[in-house]
Amino acid sequence: MTDPHPELDTLFAQARTLTPADHTAAARFLEAHRAAQTQARARHTRAGWLSAALGAAVVAGALMLRPAATALPASAAYDVYQSAWGEGW
């Protein structure tokens, strides 16, 4: 059986063959891709530090603004126990 379109076979063979221009384009793409990954990683790191700092500020603010702890009232059972045993039990 003969090939009805031999020029297509030639075109496909040329398309599969890598040229120096293909290698250069691949190198440019990889360089740009690595640079974008580095920038994204740096952005995520900065965002992580910012989130941690804001979280710490919220916690510190909540601890500073909360009302002072008041003395707990003695329970009736403790009063009865202390009166039964006296001071310094």
Side-chain angles (χ1 to χ4, degrees), residues 46-80:
R46 281 192 304 271
W49 280 108
L50 180 62
S51 296
L54 288 176
V58 168
V59 169
L63 290 174
M64 297 303 272
L65 295 177
R66 71 181 178 146
T70 58
L72 295 174
S75 67
Y78 179 76
D79 289 339
V80 171

Side-chain angles (χ1 to χ4, degrees), residues 2-17:
T2 61
D3 190 7
H5 301 287
E7 63 274 357
L8 282 179
D9 290 337
T10 305
L11 285 175
F12 288 141
Q14 289 174 350
R16 286 192 300 262
T17 304

Side-chain angles (χ1 to χ4, degrees), residues 23 72 85:
H23 291 290
L72 295 174
W85 285 96

